[in-house]
Amino acid sequence: MDSLDERLLRELAQAGPLTTNELAHRLSAGHWADVCTALNRLVSEGYATVVGPLGRPETLYRVHPRGRAALGIKF
């Protein structure tokens, strides 16, 4: 897991469900596409869950229990 992936998971774990735009803003990400790519990777690996259609600014993401475990966060 790279640093962007970990930062995204930490934001999701702390703040609850967030949209792609909210995550990009919170991380001061320069490229929205990088955030989308990282989120898609986290979803495909089972660390995050998507709510709604993928790849849109209003798509909601939340951390999956597997993602919490990877970060060492207790439930």
Side-chain angles (χ1 to χ4, degrees), residues 17-19 43 48-54 56 58-63:
L18 294 168
T19 66
V43 169
T49 303
V50 64
V51 181
L54 288 171
R56 296 193 180 155
E58 63 275 4
T59 300
L60 279 174
Y61 294 87
R62 63 177 184 229
V63 70

Side-chain angles (χ1 to χ4, degrees), residues 4-71:
L4 178 58
D5 293 356
E6 186 175 338
R7 289 171 49 207
L8 287 166
L9 279 179
R10 288 196 184 282
E11 285 296 327
L12 290 170
Q14 292 172 3
L18 294 168
T19 66
T20 307
N21 278 345
E22 291 168 333
L23 285 163
H25 178 72
R26 284 173 174 263
L27 298 177
S28 299
H31 299 285
W32 188 78
D34 292 340
V35 172
C36 286
T37 300
L39 286 168
N40 287 337
R41 183 173 49 246
L42 289 171
V43 169
S44 70
E45 293 174 1
Y47 294 113
T49 303
V50 64
V51 181
L54 288 171
R56 296 193 180 155
E58 63 275 4
T59 300
L60 279 174
Y61 294 87
R62 63 177 184 229
V63 70
H64 187 274
R66 182 176 178 192
R68 288 187 186 279
L71 293 173

